Amino acid sequence: MEFTRTAVDPGSNARTGVFTTAHGEVRTPIFMPVGTVGSVKGVYHRDLVEDVKAEIILGNTYHLYLRPGLETLRIAGGLHKFESWDRPILTDSGGFQVFSLTQIRKITEEGCRFQSHIDGSRHMFTPENNVDTQRIIGSDIIMALDECCPGDADERYAARSLKLTQGWLERFFKHFVETEPLYGYEQAMFPIIQGCVYPELRKRAVDHAVSLVGDSPAAGGFAIGGLAVGEPTEKMYEMLELVCPLLPQDKPRYLMGVGTPANILEGIARGVDMFDCVMPTRNGRNGMLFTWNGIMNMRNSKWSDDFSPLDPDGTSFVDWKYSRAYLHHLFIAKEMFAAMIASEHNLAFYLDLVRQSRLHIEAGDFAQWKETAVKRVSTRL
Amino acid sequence: MEFTRTAVDPGSNARTGVFTTAHGEVRTPIFMPVGTVGSVKGVYHRDLVEDVKAEIILGNTYHLYLRPGLETLRIAGGLHKFESWDRPILTDSGGFQVFSLTQIRKITEEGCRFQSHIDGSRHMFTPENNVDTQRIIGSDIIMALDECCPGDADERYAARSLKLTQGWLERFFKHFVETEPLYGYEQAMFPIIQGCVYPELRKRAVDHAVSLVGDSPAAGGFAIGGLAVGEPTEKMYEMLELVCPLLPQDKPRYLMGVGTPANILEGIARGVDMFDCVMPTRNGRNGMLFTWNGIMNMRNSKWSDDFSPLDPDGTSFVDWKYSRAYLHHLFIAKEMFAAMIASEHNLAFYLDLVRQSRLHIEAGDFAQWKETAVKRVSTRL
């Protein structure tokens, strides 16, 4: 996986770039819609391409491993073919889901044992079988197995957790370079930088990961995990300010699971290149619309007689097609069409957010523009 | 509303035709997707036009009256504008929903009082205010208010119910011709023929409706109600064989709420021109797919390793885009995308069903073709 920086913002650490995978190029900064179980909830793949203009989407190893399962994915020829998506896919290792979704689990140096949240069946992820699993899924970019430490963990817990993650990373990377992709195209891996909100731990995590994967072409970039998991937002920004400058300039940086439109703009300003979050779809399903002018709760009765277009500044086909009053009605009447329209709009907005950011970085005025934009997108309408 | 017959099948009572509304032409036989509360569940309007190729959709007066309510619809300028659909719309009067959805109701000669199934609020539909309501909705074709008699009612009950419906029809028609449309385009009304499974009552209903609306241009066609409501299927076909020949040849006949693909083909053979049913969307949401080769239950594990296209004979973009194994997975994983794909496919299939029927009527071989087609579409795969 090759990454080329194409512009840097003079007033911040923001940068634009492009990376190449077997399934096409991705321009950064980029937002990646989340297709957890093999579908971006409520959005056709056709519309992800043509309307949302997604360049890469996510899948989740934990969910896909349980359903449809590895045998199905292997016969299908990988996730791309299974879900009919011929652009890049990134998969999370599933570590986060083991910690957030399973009731019963046991984490040891060997790996993590867990019971499925669906049927209670018993499974184990080790760094080695997690590589194998993501080889079967066939994603273009795969994440190392890690323990995601809670945002309010004490430093002792966080240090122990980081040590475990580092041991897993060593085994994961070793197994990754010793194995081959299954479907004739290259995959790249990203180590995940943990360390909670503790600067020394974060530094240690970066040193370890960088010295381990070094300049290996196998490592496509670096992920920053364990943020937006309960810590104050300011702490998240502090960690980014610390971590990004320590990471190689010539590899993309992926801030996992983040976040609000403001979080994304602030992340870009601190040097982050890739983002994913369920917020546009999950909050969309609950009636929340993100726009350049702020956040709209479509369940609010104030929209019931507003017949103006959903979002006159929006780029999606739904933005001029449907009115606020109509979408409000659909949410109140509990029509599934409401979730579809809101998800479509929000994803298109998130992609517009990173597109506009790229344009401003290229124009050299990102830092100033971002100050105003953050305020606008955070307004409650 | 003008209707022109364009072909008749020599071997059956099937015929093709075309009727003209202010929002465009509709070719018959036609299937009308059901957009109860202002959305065809899970399907974009864009896809109804371009992929499903729907020529007319339904709305439901009961549901729209309760949500979003008449004030919203009036300010929007009617349902077409409210939901952004510029092709024809037909609305049911809501009588059927009052009987099927509300717990508490009282039917008198005056009209029907009922409590909303949503919040228990009290309302009354009279023939007169039901005309006014459908004027506000602004549908191209509006249905008379009727009492839908259960399919297993005894003849005495059915006769009393028919008498009530006839009285309501007289008042409905009178008020309809005395009032004007609100949005500058014509609306047409259809009387509804009731009479349960009793030939004498059905005849009496036809005589009354035909003599009442006569050759009035206000009456665009005739609906046949109270079928597929619990009576044996053979009884439904008998009633169609009785009623259709008694109805004017030069008006379209609409069989309400019917049905399976086989029901539709048999209805066409007996002279029916218009159909609506929630089956393609509702059963689709539950995993049932209708195809030319039969009915597939996508939850069945037999599809889990079938990577062939959803329906190689299907006309929708989903049919070749997604595999059976993928759709099976989406249903098992409870992804909302499953309901979207199944609804899209089923509606496109229902429209293909009537399109193929039209072609065979025009070719003059509908009767023979129908025999084989009914068996094929009824097979359980």
Side-chain angles (χ1 to χ4, degrees):
Chain A
M1 187 182 125
E2 217 172 302
F3 176 71
T4 313
R5 272 178 300 161
T6 50
V8 290
D9 180 54
S12 72
N13 284 322
R15 70 234 195 113
T16 59
V18 57
F19 65 80
T20 310
T21 75
H23 290 90
E25 287 191 348
V26 175
R27 294 168 303 159
T28 61
I30 191 70
F31 178 80
M32 306 180 282
V34 179
T36 311
V37 204
S39 95
V40 175
K41 292 187 201 303
V43 184
Y44 280 110
H45 293 86
R46 172 198 62 185
D47 293 332
L48 283 175
V49 174
E50 295 172 14
D51 189 57
V52 170
K53 303 188 196 307
E55 301 190 13
I56 174 172
I57 65 174
L58 250 70
N60 190 277
T61 297
Y62 171 84
H63 289 282
L64 293 165
Y65 164 84
L66 293 176
R67 287 187 305 211
L70 299 185
E71 197 189 332
T72 299
L73 288 167
R74 193 201 299 266
I75 301 171
L79 180 59
H80 290 85
K81 287 196 177 154
F82 184 63
E83 69 165 289
S84 303
W85 173 258
D86 60 10
R87 297 192 173 197
I89 296 177
L90 179 152
T91 39
D92 189 9
S93 67
F96 182 75
Q97 283 68 33
V98 168
F99 305 115
S100 61
L101 286 179
T102 65
Q103 299 289 319
I104 300 166
R105 59 179 176 266
K106 194 174 177 198
I107 298 154
T108 62
E109 216 172 292
E110 189 190 2
C112 46
R113 290 182 190 281
F114 60 93
Q115 284 187 241
S116 157
H117 74 291
I118 301 162
D119 63 4
S121 56
R122 290 160 194 278
H123 306 271
M124 183 170 195
F125 280 170
T126 65
E128 289 80 12
N129 75 16
N130 196 257
V131 169
D132 297 339
T133 296
Q134 294 188 75
R135 290 286 194 201
I136 291 168
I137 293 172
S139 35
D140 298 278
I141 302 175
I142 80 179
M143 292 295 123
L145 187 68
D146 66 335
E147 189 194 356
C148 182
C149 178
D152 58 358
D154 64 35
E155 191 158 0
R156 211 180 129 146
Y157 179 98
R160 213 170 45 219
S161 167
L162 176 60
K163 194 152 191 294
L164 187 83
T165 289
Q166 290 175 325
W168 286 359
L169 174 60
E170 289 165 22
R171 287 163 51 199
F172 189 98
F173 186 66
K174 180 166 186 288
H175 194 68
F176 181 75
V177 294
E178 286 171 0
T179 54
E180 292 289 326
L182 301 182
Y183 308 120
Y185 55 81
E186 286 304 312
Q187 299 177 282
M189 66 80 68
F190 281 28
I192 301 176
I193 306 298
Q194 291 287 353
C196 200
V197 294
Y198 304 105
E200 283 313 309
L201 295 183
R202 289 278 171 187
K203 274 189 220 165
R204 199 187 299 168
V206 174
D207 286 345
H208 174 264
V210 171
S211 69
L212 179 71
V213 306
D215 291 328
S216 166
F222 291 84
I224 305 167
L227 292 176
V229 290
E231 83 287 358
T233 306
E234 282 313 314
K235 279 284 168 203
M236 171 168 82
Y237 295 153
E238 276 175 37
M239 291 303 112
L240 293 179
E241 285 158 20
L242 173 81
V243 166
C244 286
L246 300 176
L247 289 170
Q249 291 294 313
D250 59 351
K251 301 269 185 181
R253 304 148 187 168
Y254 162 31
L255 176 56
M256 303 180 78
V258 174
T260 64
N263 292 158
I264 287 179
L265 295 175
E266 297 294 0
I268 291 172
R270 286 160 178 82
V272 175
D273 306 296
M274 301 162 68
F275 302 86
D276 81 287
C277 194
V278 293
M279 208 175 259
T281 41
R282 182 178 293 166
N283 293 26
R285 290 197 298 280
N286 291 325
M288 187 181 281
L289 242 62
F290 298 98
T291 79
W292 283 110
N293 296 305
I295 297 164
M296 301 159 75
N297 175 359
M298 297 312 300
R299 295 180 175 281
N300 194 312
S301 62
K302 72 189 285 190
W303 308 115
S304 68
D305 59 354
D306 184 341
F307 296 96
S308 58
L310 211 49
D311 178 10
D313 294 324
T315 63
S316 168
F317 81 96
V318 301
D319 291 320
W320 277 85
K321 172 80 177 172
Y322 299 111
S323 72
R324 295 161 179 186
Y326 180 59
L327 185 57
H328 169 76
H329 160 66
L330 294 176
F331 272 110
I332 297 302
K334 301 187 179 67
E335 289 283 279
M336 69 180 285
F337 196 35
M340 290 166 58
I341 293 175
S343 300
E344 183 85 18
H345 162 85
N346 279 347
L347 287 177
F349 172 70
Y350 267 65
L351 266 295
D352 195 34
L353 190 71
V354 292
R355 177 169 45 242
Q356 297 296 332
S357 296
R358 288 195 302 265
L359 291 170
H360 282 284
I361 295 166
E362 285 160 6
D365 66 354
F366 175 81
Q368 303 90 294
W369 171 80
K370 189 230 16 168
E371 290 308 311
T372 320
V374 162
K375 286 195 195 95
R376 283 178 69 202
V377 298
S378 308
T379 309
R380 292 272 168 173
L381 295 176
Chain B
M1 185 181 126
E2 217 173 302
F3 176 71
T4 313
R5 271 179 301 161
T6 49
V8 290
D9 180 53
S12 72
N13 285 321
R15 71 236 193 111
T16 58
V18 58
F19 65 80
T20 311
T21 75
H23 290 91
E25 288 191 348
V26 175
R27 294 167 304 159
T28 61
I30 192 70
F31 177 80
M32 306 180 283
V34 179
T36 311
V37 205
S39 95
V40 175
K41 293 188 199 306
V43 183
Y44 280 110
H45 293 86
R46 171 198 63 182
D47 293 332
L48 283 175
V49 174
E50 295 172 14
D51 188 58
V52 170
K53 304 190 196 306
E55 301 191 12
I56 174 171
I57 64 174
L58 250 70
N60 189 279
T61 298
Y62 170 84
H63 288 282
L64 294 164
Y65 165 85
L66 293 176
R67 287 189 304 214
L70 299 184
E71 198 189 331
T72 299
L73 287 167
R74 193 201 299 266
I75 301 171
L79 181 59
H80 290 86
K81 288 197 177 154
F82 184 63
E83 67 167 286
S84 303
W85 174 256
D86 60 9
R87 298 192 171 196
I89 295 177
L90 179 151
T91 39
D92 188 9
S93 67
F96 182 75
Q97 283 67 33
V98 169
F99 305 116
S100 61
L101 286 180
T102 65
Q103 299 289 320
I104 300 164
R105 59 178 176 268
K106 195 176 175 196
I107 298 153
T108 62
E109 217 172 292
E110 188 190 2
C112 47
R113 290 183 190 280
F114 60 93
Q115 283 187 243
S116 157
H117 75 291
I118 300 162
D119 62 4
S121 56
R122 290 159 194 279
H123 307 270
M124 183 170 194
F125 279 170
T126 66
E128 291 78 13
N129 75 17
N130 196 257
V131 168
D132 297 340
T133 297
Q134 294 188 75
R135 290 287 194 202
I136 291 168
I137 293 173
S139 36
D140 298 277
I141 302 175
I142 80 179
M143 293 295 122
L145 187 67
D146 64 336
E147 188 193 357
C148 181
C149 179
D152 59 357
D154 64 33
E155 190 157 0
R156 212 181 128 146
Y157 179 98
R160 214 170 46 219
S161 167
L162 176 60
K163 196 152 189 298
L164 187 84
T165 289
Q166 289 174 326
W168 286 0
L169 174 60
E170 288 164 22
R171 287 162 53 199
F172 189 98
F173 187 65
K174 180 168 186 289
H175 194 68
F176 181 74
V177 295
E178 286 172 0
T179 54
E180 293 289 327
L182 302 181
Y183 309 119
Y185 55 81
E186 286 305 313
Q187 299 176 282
M189 65 80 68
F190 282 28
I192 301 177
I193 306 298
Q194 290 287 354
C196 200
V197 295
Y198 303 106
E200 284 313 308
L201 296 183
R202 287 280 171 184
K203 275 187 219 167
R204 197 187 300 167
V206 174
D207 285 347
H208 174 264
V210 171
S211 69
L212 179 73
V213 307
D215 292 328
S216 166
F222 292 85
I224 306 167
L227 292 176
V229 289
E231 82 288 357
T233 306
E234 282 313 313
K235 279 284 168 202
M236 171 168 83
Y237 295 154
E238 276 175 36
M239 292 302 111
L240 294 179
E241 284 158 21
L242 172 82
V243 166
C244 286
L246 300 175
L247 289 169
Q249 291 293 313
D250 59 349
K251 301 269 185 179
R253 304 148 187 167
Y254 162 31
L255 176 56
M256 304 180 77
V258 174
T260 64
N263 292 157
I264 287 178
L265 294 175
E266 296 294 359
I268 291 172
R270 286 160 178 81
V272 175
D273 306 296
M274 301 163 68
F275 302 86
D276 81 286
C277 194
V278 293
M279 208 174 261
T281 40
R282 183 178 293 167
N283 293 26
R285 290 197 298 280
N286 291 323
M288 187 182 279
L289 242 62
F290 299 99
T291 78
W292 283 110
N293 296 305
I295 298 165
M296 301 158 76
N297 175 359
M298 297 313 300
R299 295 180 176 281
N300 194 312
S301 63
K302 72 190 284 188
W303 308 115
S304 68
D305 59 355
D306 185 341
F307 295 96
S308 58
L310 211 49
D311 178 10
D313 294 324
T315 63
S316 167
F317 81 95
V318 301
D319 291 320
W320 277 86
K321 173 81 176 170
Y322 299 112
S323 71
R324 294 161 179 186
Y326 181 60
L327 185 57
H328 168 77
H329 160 67
L330 294 176
F331 272 111
I332 297 302
K334 300 188 180 70
E335 289 284 279
M336 70 180 286
F337 196 36
M340 291 165 60
I341 293 175
S343 299
E344 182 86 17
H345 161 84
N346 279 346
L347 287 177
F349 172 71
Y350 267 65
L351 267 295
D352 195 35
L353 190 72
V354 293
R355 177 168 46 239
Q356 296 297 332
S357 297
R358 289 196 300 268
L359 292 171
H360 282 284
I361 295 166
E362 285 160 6
D365 67 353
F366 176 81
Q368 303 91 289
W369 171 79
K370 188 228 24 168
E371 291 307 311
T372 320
V374 162
K375 285 193 197 98
R376 283 178 68 200
V377 298
S378 307
T379 309
R380 292 272 167 172
L381 296 176

